[in-house]
Amino acid sequence: MANIISDETIDYVGILAQLELSDQEKEQAKKDLGTMLDYIDKLNELDVTGVSPMSHVFPVWNVFREDQVTNGDDHENMLANAPEEKNGQYVVPKTVE
Amino acid sequence: MSVLNLTAVSLGKKIQAGELSAVEATQEVLAQVERVEKDVHSYVSYDGEAALKRAKEVQQLIDEKKLTHPLAGVPVAIKDNMCTKGVTTTCSSKILSNFVPPYSSTAVEKLEAAGAIMIGKTNMDEFAMGSTTETSAYGITRNPWNLDHVPGGSSGGSCAAVAANEAIYALGSDTGGSIRQPSSFCGVTGIKPTYGTVSRFGLIAYGSSLDQIGPVAKDVRDCATILSTISGYDSKDSTSIKREDYDFNQYLGQDIKGLRIGVPKGYFKEGLDKEVADHVLSLAKTLEAQGAVVEEFDLSLVEYAIPAYYVIADAEASSNLERFDGVKYGYRAKEYNGLHDMIKKSRSQGFGPEVKRRIMLGSFVLSSGYYDAYYLKALRTKALIVKAFDEAFAKYDVILAPAAPTTAPKIGSSLADPIKMYLGDIYTISVNLAGLPGITVPVGKDKNGLPIGAQLIGNRFREDVLFKAAYAYEQTKTYEMCDLAQKGVN
């Protein structure tokens, strides 16, 4: 394997991806990521000098509209999905001391 | 004649003519679901009572001549990544196990306005990430043609449902082949339209620049009618496009004399099963006999599509799936220590291995220091792939390709080697990168009796050519149902 993924790298990726991995999952992830990157490195065979990156096939631009409310108050339905709610608000663990 | 023998359009006609009611049609489909669902498991959830109640309401509107749409009263299955108001939408993931959308996706709303009867929500690979429907958190779906085989994926549930007559037609979504590949494996017809043709509003995003919703059905006419119904500009989707044509039925039956069909040589070399190759090429011969001109050519960059795709799709997925944090909806871990730990634990317990794998790769290729080397490189490669297709479409009206290198693999044989599984997407993935339309039509079966589909690829906005060519081919054969689909057919 050409791409060796270090413990530091996989921990960093875990932070970015907001995932908590068990030791076993970490080892598997290092292997999987390395294998995929080896495969993706095939792109290095291509000369892309001067080629602009294309994010969308069609040109996209900001879509502007008047700031008018078109949907009704769906407060109750939205909150119905909340894992925890109180007084019409989402409840999360305390974030500031 | 059983409802289950009918296509969506022919059933709709009988309902309009008063020969059958929407309620009878729904009852027959539900009876078939009762018969075969335990074997096939096309659905994550279905609700017969709700479907019958809806069928009664729709029938009343039909009786009052208020609903005259060709699909009014026809039972449909919806892939479980499309939001359905008041109906649990899981994306086949534990993280959305209890998510009840407060609104419906635009495609579903359009079908409902047309009088569709939803039977249920179909199984899929978790968050549409997979090619076998084996990564679902709610159990695998089996191929109705042979229960030891996968139905393909990620719209495996939708394609199996149609093949098994558990619905008359279905909606799927396609990010890298997720309509076209399972259609091939299940012997049904499915189309992924030009990017932007069907609104993505309410479709739970995987790779936003690649995702498209499309129909899965028994024939080309059904696909044209369904696509005409669900497509259209939508201000709620910023990548929605304004097309000149939204009536795709007009192209059925048009003469194909002089149609230029390009066959990419590289697609028919090593890695492609011989039986699949022979059957796919038989479509070219059939159309040639009707006056089409078939020519082999070199489509460049074929081998770079998959690595570019996995960088782009996973990068977009890692960003799109950030929203699943256990705060406002979805699964929340039971025990945690503070907000960040709650988010991490909810995600780690809520996502399956394939989703985690892709989120991690996506996060990595977007991280500072690697962004240029991987993400931008993939976007530059995409530009070259688009150019290669532009050059091909300067010479040809349509490109003929397989939909997959093999017929449906055995259950349990794919997930162990992700790269090998990803390589199976070689014929479908570049179509998403280039935003092109592609349709899969059944062309035969292999020696084991498993269906083979051929894929026709058109230039952007050129669904007309696909419908014309696919319909012309279809006129030379009849739709073949699997034994299981005929269980309830008299």
Side-chain angles (χ1 to χ4, degrees):
Chain A
M1 195 153 49
N3 288 281
I4 307 291
I5 306 299
S6 65
D7 287 327
E8 292 75 42
T9 303
I10 211 70
D11 285 341
Y12 179 56
V13 169
I15 291 168
L16 293 175
Q18 304 209 71
L19 291 171
E20 188 179 78
L21 303 177
S22 68
D23 287 345
Q24 199 192 342
E25 278 181 311
K26 232 178 251 183
E27 284 313 307
Q28 187 63 43
K30 278 160 67 180
K31 220 177 93 206
D32 288 347
L33 190 56
T35 313
M36 269 311 278
L37 293 178
D38 283 353
Y39 177 57
I40 289 166
D41 281 341
K42 190 172 176 54
L43 295 180
N44 292 332
E45 295 168 13
L46 277 180
D47 182 8
V48 292
T49 324
V51 180
S52 302
M54 179 187 266
S55 56
H56 274 83
V57 176
F58 301 118
V60 278
W61 49 88
N62 276 334
V63 180
F64 293 103
R65 63 167 172 81
E66 291 304 311
D67 188 15
Q68 283 166 343
V69 179
T70 52
N71 54 336
D73 175 15
D74 216 7
H75 199 231
E76 265 175 46
N77 280 329
M78 301 301 276
L79 269 176
N81 277 301
E84 207 183 330
E85 62 123 344
K86 193 175 161 188
N87 303 334
Q89 314 273 340
Y90 297 107
V91 175
V92 292
K94 198 172 169 187
T95 52
V96 273
E97 293 302 324
Chain B
M1 187 191 202
S2 168
V3 162
L4 305 181
N5 267 327
L6 301 171
T7 62
V9 170
S10 50
L11 173 57
K13 249 188 211 144
K14 285 191 188 292
I15 291 174
Q16 287 296 335
E19 291 171 43
L20 268 169
S21 75
V23 178
E24 287 167 307
T26 306
Q27 280 167 338
E28 273 212 48
V29 170
L30 287 172
Q32 174 72 356
V33 173
E34 288 304 319
R35 275 188 292 268
V36 304
E37 177 63 5
K38 62 181 186 307
D39 292 327
V40 182
H41 188 48
S42 300
Y43 290 104
V44 174
S45 65
Y46 65 93
D47 187 344
E49 229 171 89
L52 282 172
K53 183 167 171 271
R54 162 88 177 145
K56 279 178 200 145
E57 289 162 12
V58 166
Q59 186 56 47
Q60 173 130 29
L61 292 171
I62 293 169
D63 292 341
E64 292 166 5
K65 308 272 178 231
K66 285 179 185 154
L67 255 181
T68 54
H69 193 280
L71 297 174
V74 181
V76 62
I78 306 289
K79 188 175 180 180
D80 208 21
N81 60 351
M82 286 169 230
C83 286
T84 41
K85 189 176 179 172
V87 178
T88 308
T89 299
T90 69
C91 253
S92 286
S93 180
K94 181 182 171 187
I95 211 160
L96 286 177
S97 51
N98 54 3
F99 175 58
V100 182
Y103 61 91
S104 284
S105 57
T106 299
V108 168
E109 264 186 0
K110 282 176 177 260
L111 279 188
E112 282 182 343
I117 317 286
M118 186 175 81
I119 299 292
K121 306 294 296 286
T122 56
N123 201 15
M124 53 188 276
D125 283 293
E126 185 180 3
F127 282 102
M129 297 175 185
S131 314
T132 63
T133 314
E134 290 174 294
T135 70
S136 165
Y138 304 103
I140 60 169
T141 296
R142 290 171 187 276
N143 191 316
W145 287 86
N146 184 330
L147 297 173
D148 295 330
H149 291 252
V150 302
S154 65
S155 308
S158 288
C159 295
V162 174
N165 270 330
E166 291 190 87
I168 304 297
Y169 69 102
L171 291 190
S173 69
D174 191 316
T175 306
S178 285
I179 287 175
R180 290 160 289 150
Q181 181 255 34
S183 291
S184 174
F185 286 0
C186 292
V188 294
T189 302
I191 181 166
K192 179 204 96 72
T194 302
Y195 183 77
T197 298
V198 179
S199 168
R200 292 185 295 106
F201 179 75
L203 171 70
I204 297 172
Y206 161 20
S208 309
S209 75
L210 309 159
D211 298 339
Q212 264 295 284
I213 292 172
V216 175
K218 287 176 183 166
D219 70 2
V220 177
R221 181 180 295 281
D222 276 7
C223 282
T225 302
I226 300 157
L227 187 60
S228 303
T229 310
I230 61 174
S231 57
Y233 173 74
D234 185 6
S235 59
K236 290 174 182 164
D237 171 1
S238 61
T239 58
S240 178
I241 51 168
K242 285 176 182 151
R243 293 178 64 110
E244 280 165 21
D245 60 338
Y246 285 109
D247 171 18
F248 301 102
N249 279 305
Q250 60 177 312
Y251 307 121
L252 306 178
Q254 285 183 358
D255 194 3
I256 61 149
K257 202 162 276 164
L259 185 85
R260 297 165 303 167
I261 302 175
V263 179
K265 273 187 255 176
Y267 279 2
F268 291 86
K269 284 199 294 215
E270 56 187 302
L272 177 64
D273 182 272
K274 172 86 169 57
E275 276 187 284
V276 173
D278 289 347
H279 277 95
V280 171
L281 289 172
S282 75
L283 183 145
K285 287 193 200 93
T286 305
L287 293 186
E288 203 169 24
Q290 296 184 38
V293 182
V294 182
E295 204 176 276
E296 286 193 334
F297 76 107
D298 284 309
L299 180 65
S300 58
L301 303 168
V302 170
E303 66 270 41
Y304 300 103
I306 297 178
Y309 170 87
Y310 278 96
V311 171
I312 294 168
D314 291 6
E316 293 182 12
S318 72
S319 167
N320 278 326
L321 271 62
E322 283 270 349
R323 73 191 68 179
F324 302 107
D325 55 9
V327 172
K328 294 179 181 159
Y329 51 84
Y331 173 80
R332 181 183 287 192
K334 299 286 166 284
E335 282 171 31
Y336 44 82
N337 185 17
L339 179 67
H340 289 288
D341 193 48
M342 181 196 88
I343 294 173
K344 264 193 162 182
K345 286 207 162 70
S346 300
R347 290 166 63 81
S348 302
Q349 294 165 18
F351 291 137
E354 183 62 28
V355 174
K356 287 184 195 173
R357 188 160 31 224
R358 296 197 192 191
I359 293 177
M360 283 191 279
L361 179 69
S363 303
F364 179 82
V365 299
L366 289 176
S367 65
S368 90
Y370 297 102
Y371 184 86
D372 285 13
Y374 289 105
Y375 185 61
L376 286 187
K377 178 103 194 191
L379 292 185
R380 291 181 214 276
T381 306
K382 171 177 168 168
L384 292 177
I385 290 169
V386 168
K387 195 164 150 258
F389 274 110
D390 285 347
E391 283 163 11
F393 285 118
K395 287 186 288 178
Y396 306 107
D397 300 307
V398 61
I399 294 172
L400 174 66
T406 61
T407 51
K410 276 222 158 117
I411 286 164
S413 66
S414 304
L415 296 187
D417 186 349
I419 297 229
K420 193 179 156 217
M421 184 172 80
Y422 298 166
L423 287 174
D425 301 336
I426 183 140
Y427 309 115
T428 48
I429 237 160
S430 48
V431 172
N432 298 76
L433 286 172
L436 308 169
I439 188 168
T440 294
V441 289
V443 286
K445 287 187 291 183
D446 71 3
K447 58 181 182 300
N448 301 316
L450 288 166
I452 298 168
Q455 183 187 195
L456 293 166
I457 302 164
N459 203 353
R460 289 178 284 281
F461 305 112
R462 296 311 300 270
E463 277 81 354
D464 61 326
V465 183
L466 297 190
F467 280 121
K468 197 161 86 167
Y471 187 79
Y473 171 74
E474 194 180 70
Q475 297 316 296
T476 64
K477 58 199 289 290
T478 48
Y479 175 68
E480 197 179 341
M481 265 191 258
C482 58
D483 292 344
L484 204 123
Q486 289 177 306
K487 261 194 173 178
V489 177
N490 307 309

